[in-house]
Amino acid sequence: MTSVSRSLTVDRPGSHRLDEGPLPEPGPGEVRVRVAAAGICMSDREVYDGHRDPAYVRYPVVPGHEWSGTVDAVGEGVDPALTGRRTVAEGFRACGRCERCRYGETSLCTAGYDETGFTRPGAFADHLVVPARLLHPLADDADLRAAALLEPAAVIAAAVRAGAPEPGERIAVLGAGTLGLLAVQLLAAVSPAELTVIDPRQERASLALDFGAGEARVPEEAEEVRGRYDLVVETAGAPSTAAGACLLARRGGRVVLTGMFTPGAVGIDPVHLSLSQLTVRSVFGAPSAAWSYAVRAFTAGLLDPAPLITHEFPLERFTEAVALVGSGDPETGKVLLRP
């Protein structure tokens, strides 16, 4: 086993370095994981560019909140049998003691925001250390490359749980990015009567058909199906998609918002919301139950994120990798770092 470990640190917006140092040692209740793959998402790009809300990042930081790996050391009080297990882990460092945590809503922990890759060292490294209580062990033959996408899958699992889809319902997914296509897979498993994906990028909308959608539309065609859907899952975070999602829902329907909206996004019409008696939920991150849901679906073969991966880079090529994320290149899907 190597005695050194590399990590990529963003000291401040636009400035990063690749360091080499001694292996991090897990403390009591912690494990050390050898990282197999780490996904780069727009939140990581925002950290690098300096566009993330200062309350949700702490520089200097080793980014990387979407990852998979293998436990290679355990700290005091941790079951030694975890050593060698393939795993993922929750990012939020929930306290487990506050009212929201005790209720099972760990993503709403009132102890303050604390998350791997934003306020704690993340997975853009050879190794990372995390609390053992946050682990979700995987099958011995799990595809760790695909498993790196279980973090966004857990977010979508939270949205699916919030939307409570039922067999035979009409469902629409607004957005065909990583979150949208993962949503399609999970929702297709519920056997909806209709599963429609709406995205301005024809090639992405078409990909949704391979993931289980029955129909793909561009936004210009969405007006034809306004008021049609029992459940609408919004995943795009574009300025108009929250309002647009509510227009797609039938009277008495449900809407779940997962996109990260920027200031100035179009608001939801309160008159339409009231008269249509819509139920609107939002999702930020994922509680423990949603992680379990995503891991179960992955293990059962109902969720396969691997086709979303289009690029893989070593840590040394981080600059190239992060530039692809959010570039608008239609050929770019999920970008991974492979330490």
Side-chain angles (χ1 to χ4, degrees), residues 176-203:
T178 296
L179 292 179
L181 293 175
L182 291 172
V184 168
Q185 287 194 342
L186 290 180
L187 291 165
V190 182
S191 299
E194 297 178 20
L195 182 53
T196 301
V197 172
I198 299 169
D199 193 285
R201 301 163 295 180
Q202 186 63 55
E203 67 284 347

Side-chain angles (χ1 to χ4, degrees), residues 97-108:
R97 297 182 298 273
C98 71
E99 182 181 13
R100 290 299 91 204
C101 283
R102 299 290 288 177
Y103 196 70
E105 297 175 339
T106 52
S107 59
L108 293 175

